[in-house]
Amino acid sequence: MTSTTDLIHFNLFEMNCVGHIQHGLWRHPANNRHRYTDIGYWTDLARLLERGLFDAVFLADVVGLYDRYQGGPDTAIREAVQVPANDPLLLVPAMAAVTEHLGFAVTFSTTYEPPFAHARRMSTLDHLTKGRVAWNVVTSYLRGAARNFGLDDEIEHDLRYEIAEEYLEVLYKLWEGSWEDGAVVRDRERAVYTDPAKVHPIDHVGKHFRVAGPHLSEPSPQRTPVIYQAGNSERGKDFAARHAEAIFTGAPTLAELREEIADIGRRAAGHGRDPGHVKVFPGASVIVGRTEEEAAAKVAELQRYIRPEGFLAQRGSGIDFAAYDPDDRIDDLVARGGDFTERAVRHLVGRDLRVRDVLGSIGRVGQGPLFASGTPGQVADEIERWADETGAAGFNLMQYLSPGTAEDFVELVVPELQRRGRYRTSYDDTTLRERLLGPGLHRLPDTHPGAAFRDFR
Ligand SMILES: Cc1cc2nc3c(=O)[nH]c(=O)nc-3n(C[C@H](O)[C@H](O)[C@H](O)COP(=O)(O)O)c2cc1C
């Protein structure tokens, strides 16, 4: 018998836009990315993912343009690099209406969304989906985003995380502490819908936020949505280890990923949490065919459509690689400072790379962390190896063609993993948190910092 810990979990990485992470491929005749404005695209996708027993669809989001490359946003606009882009949250009710189990992880920014309004929207979605919602907490990284929300420039990096800490405190108070269980009595005889003695203001007065409460939403199945995070910096990793229940990581090699996952576990334990309650999901790129030749032909065809310009426009969000001498060493540029901060190019530092190496690899099909192509058996071998050797709970499946990548995965890879006892054969949970953490855990575990706000009064 297969225990749930042997199961490998999958999310699909998506965004409500044309060019998400693979640029140029919207031109591929089999791609449906241009249909992102069509509600039918999303409902079909949701049905497909539920048929494939995915954990969740993970919706990325940014709220500004990539405008550093060649001094402006023109390349991003021309190549559809995360613009045009619509709101991620509004897709969820449509997808939820045609599914019963699929989870929805939605990206929202602690820097730009007022906490009270955001808390209510997430509670609403958790009610409507019966506990299938997660929030990918981001602090946002684009200069243009800051200008869209009334600032002259981005708030300094660590201060963004400081604000995010207080933001979460406000939300935990609203979600966990403001309404007691049993507050809603719905007593027709006594004409009492809600017992006022069990509904509490939060009266939060902090450095960055003042929120009186009480929360306007009654407790939803999960109360706090499942918390996702993808911080990369020291501050970001620490934030994730404290709050996140699912972490999306981008470590480039298997060895680094294993170390990163061990580090996340240590940090989580350092915050008094059960490391088993922090699941790590690296990205996985999968190109599968019925034969090796078919898979290789798909790789070659995708490569023909990819446009490096799109990657250059998005890359690092702050660095215009094309503006540097191809012979420049990355380590020298970091030592010199400017745009080339260690944070911006962390995965390129200490590898004796030159700008030409980076430019040469940009837009190549087959980039990690996990890239697997071949027959279903070969792909499943790689997926199992990476999961077993790193401790990853599962993967976020990256798409080349939408929904073709997911269709291939559901048709060819899922049955192979199921045969090996590594993939669920039915959904047997009721909320997204239970699916991740185990039976009975609809709500935050007691060791999660948010649980401390259940009786903050
Ligand atoms: C795989 C992955 C996906 C991400 N998705 C988003 C996103 O959709 N929106 C966003 O604003 N930031 C996104 N980020 C950025 C992170 O949330 C974070 O801001 C970034 O990694 C910088 O982290 P740091 O500030 O801790 O260095 C993503 C990061 C990774 C690694």
Side-chain angles (χ1 to χ4, degrees):
M1 171 155 174
T2 311
S3 90
T4 50
T5 52
D6 294 329
L7 295 179
I8 301 173
H9 296 246
F10 270 87
N11 296 309
L12 186 75
F13 198 29
E14 255 289 6
M15 187 164 171
N16 193 358
C17 69
V18 178
H20 175 197
I21 36 167
Q22 296 293 354
H23 301 300
L25 287 176
W26 61 270
R27 300 173 306 140
H28 192 293
N31 210 346
N32 282 278
R33 292 268 19 134
H34 61 285
R35 287 185 55 222
Y36 76 102
T37 54
D38 175 355
I39 199 168
Y41 169 81
W42 297 101
T43 51
D44 287 350
L45 181 70
R47 286 193 191 94
L48 169 72
L49 298 179
E50 184 150 287
R51 184 155 57 78
L53 301 168
F54 273 63
D55 275 27
V57 54
F58 179 136
L59 292 157
D61 193 38
V62 293
V63 285
L65 297 179
Y66 292 89
D67 62 0
R68 296 288 175 114
Y69 181 58
Q70 296 186 335
D74 287 6
T75 306
I77 293 172
R78 194 169 46 244
E79 303 265 344
V81 176
Q82 303 191 350
V83 61
N86 281 343
D87 189 287
L89 207 67
L90 299 177
L91 300 174
V92 174
M95 291 195 282
V98 298
T99 52
E100 281 177 38
H101 303 282
L102 184 67
F104 307 98
V106 192
T107 300
F108 261 82
S109 171
T110 51
T111 305
Y112 302 121
E113 293 291 323
F116 185 80
H118 179 60
R120 186 159 75 130
R121 280 198 302 262
M122 293 306 286
S123 294
T124 305
L125 279 184
D126 203 48
H127 279 298
L128 293 179
T129 62
K130 297 190 169 67
R132 294 190 271 152
V133 169
W135 169 32
N136 178 35
V137 184
V138 298
T139 56
S140 298
Y141 53 74
L142 292 169
R143 182 178 54 172
R147 293 181 183 164
N148 289 337
F149 288 87
L151 305 174
D152 291 329
D153 205 342
E154 286 183 272
I155 295 171
E156 189 272 321
H157 178 269
D158 284 9
L159 179 56
R160 293 205 297 271
Y161 276 108
E162 180 190 307
I163 294 169
E165 282 288 348
E166 189 183 329
Y167 193 103
L168 280 172
E169 184 182 326
V170 173
L171 265 52
Y172 294 143
K173 287 177 178 173
L174 291 168
W175 285 329
E176 297 292 325
S178 185
W179 287 57
E180 293 179 37
D181 285 333
V184 175
V185 289
R186 221 177 284 127
D187 184 335
R188 289 191 167 90
E189 295 293 306
R190 292 192 300 129
V192 177
Y193 198 87
T194 304
D195 178 356
K198 293 188 172 174
V199 177
H200 311 283
I202 66 167
D203 290 328
H204 177 89
V205 180
K207 193 164 159 198
H208 306 289
F209 301 107
R210 291 181 62 194
V211 179
H215 195 27
L216 292 180
S217 303
E218 64 179 280
S220 64
Q222 301 182 115
R223 283 186 177 257
T224 297
V226 176
I227 304 287
Y228 277 45
Q229 222 274 334
N232 259 325
S233 60
E234 277 303 303
R235 195 78 170 80
K237 286 182 194 175
D238 204 56
F239 181 88
R242 218 169 107 67
H243 299 281
E245 301 174 277
I247 294 182
F248 194 176
T249 145
T253 65
L254 190 146
E256 284 164 281
L257 183 59
R258 181 187 321 153
E259 176 44 38
E260 191 171 327
I261 292 175
D263 178 54
I264 287 167
R266 284 191 294 270
R267 287 174 193 250
H271 288 297
R273 298 182 64 196
D274 176 348
H277 289 164
V278 189
K279 308 289 188 188
V280 182
F281 291 82
S285 301
V286 172
I287 299 176
V288 62
R290 283 179 180 74
T291 61
E292 274 183 57
E293 295 68 37
E294 191 184 311
K298 285 185 187 178
V299 172
E301 201 198 11
L302 292 171
Q303 190 65 71
R304 277 209 304 281
Y305 283 92
I306 278 193
R307 300 256 314 154
E309 286 77 0
F311 290 83
L312 283 167
Q314 186 191 352
R315 180 123 207 164
S317 69
I319 295 177
D320 178 359
F321 278 85
Y324 290 84
D325 184 334
D327 282 327
D328 280 346
R329 287 178 71 248
I330 302 291
D331 291 346
D332 294 342
L333 292 170
V334 170
R336 227 185 285 159
D339 275 352
F340 267 86
T341 61
E342 184 154 355
R343 175 178 297 141
V345 292
R346 184 176 304 108
H347 296 320
L348 307 174
V349 171
R351 294 165 190 257
D352 199 25
L353 293 171
R354 290 175 191 272
V355 167
R356 81 164 70 256
D357 300 320
V358 178
L359 289 173
S361 70
I362 279 177
R364 211 183 57 232
V365 173
Q367 312 242 13
L370 164 55
F371 174 75
S373 83
T375 63
Q378 289 170 326
V379 166
D381 284 347
E382 271 304 90
I383 291 171
E384 279 197 87
R385 186 169 75 86
W386 275 68
D388 293 343
E389 293 185 15
T390 64
F395 300 92
N396 281 305
L397 184 66
M398 315 290 216
Q399 299 183 97
Y400 293 99
L401 301 181
S402 311
T405 301
E407 279 168 355
D408 283 354
F409 188 84
V410 170
E411 192 183 333
L412 298 173
V413 182
V414 167
E416 180 61 31
L417 288 171
Q418 284 172 330
R419 254 193 298 282
R420 301 174 181 206
R422 301 306 302 272
Y423 200 91
R424 72 171 60 86
T425 51
S426 65
Y427 291 108
D428 50 10
D429 43 57
T430 56
T431 60
L432 183 58
R433 181 170 283 112
E434 269 198 306
R435 185 170 305 155
L436 266 186
L437 303 188
L441 287 168
H442 301 290
R443 296 197 167 159
L444 286 177
D446 291 342
T447 52
H448 188 284
F453 292 94
R454 284 179 183 144
D455 49 8
F456 66 91
R457 296 174 296 280

